[in-house]
Amino acid sequence: MKPIVIAHRGASAYLPEHTLPCVAAAHTLGADYIEQDIVLSRDGVPMVLHDIYLESTTDVARQFPDRARDDGRFYAIDFDLAELKTLAVHERIDPLGNAVFDGRFPVVDLELRIPTLSEEIILIEGLNKSRGARTGYYIEMKSPTFHAAAGLDIAAATIKVLDAAHLHHERAPIFFQCFDPQTLRHLKHKVKSPLPLIQLVGDNSWQEPPGVDFDFMRTDEGLDDVASYADGIGPWIPQLFEADGTTPTNLVAAAHARGLLVHAFTLRADSLEAGFKDFESLHQGIFLDAGIDGVFSDFPDITRQFIDTHINADVTSS
Ligand code: CA
């Protein structure tokens, strides 16, 4: 199988992440899958939004200045769908209000809105029809424990939307991804979801979710356990390489030995991993040296071109 290109939050290098124009761009730029991060509104609607917070990508602080919590942050889960739909989405900014990625789309108000998962499905299914394509969905359930503490079941809400769109079946081009192993075990054993499950592998320093030992998860014993409930792993790109930054670790081989796919995150031409001199050599490192099966990319067009130029589907393993 040729490795897959997963458009990370859409074609987020070119347009504000997770907006419908950004998703449409990813579709036309050759992504095999487009990523949806799911966060619930107060009234339980699955929204496509990267953070459980709103202030980094919307004008919530201007429109609802008195709705921050004591920590100063604005939580999507404190707003109903109708309120979230009034927010203008813009390019990602840091706490000082500066663009996170200097060379990307300007921080302007184009009256872009946070899409619901339902709306995004309508867009992608529509483009699949009009373009004769079969672009898939790569859905991340964000912070399930945080949602559960508010009395909301993010897995159930997400599956309900997929069910309504007739997309919760084994032939649907959809992966589920999550950092929380408990959620994936629940999907596998209790929900018995027919969709493939990807265990994201973070760094312990992120504490997301708290208490999960991702160092252990990458050991033989840890990977044996992951293989009991998931179909693949989603490692952070630095985990693919030794301390020198470019020599592959044995993580991909160890995952493949257990039948696990490896879909790594995240390729950014404007934020290169240490050890790689340019975006091309980073692509060479992850695909030709490390041998991964897919990658999340902010630049789906560049990653598409690399794969189509350098990787022959007939000679790659796994
Ligand atoms: Ca994500």
Side-chain angles (χ1 to χ4, degrees):
M1 286 283 286
K2 250 187 179 180
I4 58 170
V5 181
I6 308 153
H8 183 244
R9 311 180 199 170
S12 56
Y14 307 121
L15 284 157
E17 65 184 47
H18 283 320
T19 61
L20 293 182
C22 188
V23 172
H27 199 283
T28 59
L29 291 176
D32 297 301
Y33 290 81
I34 299 173
E35 186 196 31
Q36 293 80 32
D37 290 305
I38 303 300
V39 169
L40 299 183
S41 66
R42 181 165 59 190
D43 42 353
V45 180
M47 311 296 294
V48 185
L49 181 69
H50 179 263
D51 305 333
I52 59 173
Y53 316 108
L54 293 162
E55 66 273 8
S56 305
T57 55
T58 78
D59 65 346
V60 66
R62 188 181 63 77
Q63 288 205 53
F64 298 96
D66 57 346
R67 296 276 292 275
R69 292 192 187 181
D70 291 344
D71 61 4
R73 310 203 73 167
F74 298 83
Y75 289 72
I77 207 167
D78 293 338
F79 294 80
D80 288 331
L81 171 64
E83 294 173 322
L84 293 174
K85 278 295 185 183
T86 68
L87 300 178
V89 179
H90 53 65
E91 186 65 31
R92 178 168 288 271
I93 56 173
D94 65 20
L96 298 176
N98 300 312
V100 170
F101 296 99
D102 238 359
R104 296 194 179 183
F105 201 81
V107 181
V108 294
D109 179 1
L110 268 179
E111 300 196 352
L112 300 173
R113 295 291 177 257
I114 304 170
T116 64
L117 177 57
S118 302
E119 290 165 341
E120 183 150 338
I121 288 171
I122 292 169
L123 175 66
I124 291 176
E125 293 305 299
L127 284 167
N128 280 344
K129 176 169 183 275
S130 62
R131 302 190 67 236
R134 196 165 184 271
T135 304
Y137 305 79
Y138 211 113
I139 300 172
E140 180 179 358
M141 296 163 193
K142 305 294 288 194
S143 306
T145 308
F146 168 82
H147 283 94
L152 296 174
D153 183 339
I154 191 168
T158 301
I159 287 171
K160 191 176 169 193
V161 171
L162 294 180
D163 262 333
H166 309 292
L167 283 171
H168 193 229
H169 58 79
E170 64 187 10
R171 293 175 318 285
I174 302 178
F175 286 93
F176 279 142
Q177 46 162 336
C178 197
F179 281 106
D180 189 340
Q182 284 313 113
T183 299
L184 295 172
R185 288 181 205 277
H186 174 74
L187 286 167
K188 169 81 174 179
H189 298 301
K190 294 289 196 298
V191 176
K192 300 191 189 304
S193 174
L195 298 176
L197 307 175
I198 302 296
Q199 171 69 61
L200 298 173
V201 185
D203 189 83
N204 283 350
S205 68
W206 304 342
Q207 287 287 301
E208 176 52 46
V212 174
D213 185 350
F214 290 110
D215 291 340
F216 172 75
M217 196 178 275
R218 300 200 306 279
T219 65
D220 284 349
E221 202 182 334
L223 290 169
D224 284 344
D225 183 38
V226 172
S228 74
Y229 61 84
D231 302 278
I233 59 170
W236 186 35
I237 287 175
Q239 295 166 349
L240 301 175
F241 300 102
E242 302 287 357
D244 68 0
T246 55
T247 304
T249 61
N250 74 343
L251 179 61
V252 176
H256 284 171
R258 291 161 175 79
L260 292 167
L261 295 165
V262 181
H263 296 159
F265 63 92
T266 301
L267 283 179
R268 295 185 172 105
D270 45 4
S271 179
L272 287 178
E273 262 68 22
F276 293 96
K277 65 180 194 308
D278 55 33
F279 207 32
E280 172 91 2
S281 59
L282 176 55
H283 278 82
Q284 286 173 3
I286 62 169
F287 287 118
L288 305 182
D289 301 338
I292 61 172
D293 307 293
V295 72
F296 293 87
S297 180
D298 283 10
F299 296 78
D301 51 341
I302 297 176
T303 304
R304 165 91 282 140
Q305 188 180 19
F306 181 89
I307 290 172
D308 290 350
T309 304
H310 296 279
I311 302 178
N312 180 333
D314 299 333
V315 299
T316 50
S317 60
S318 73

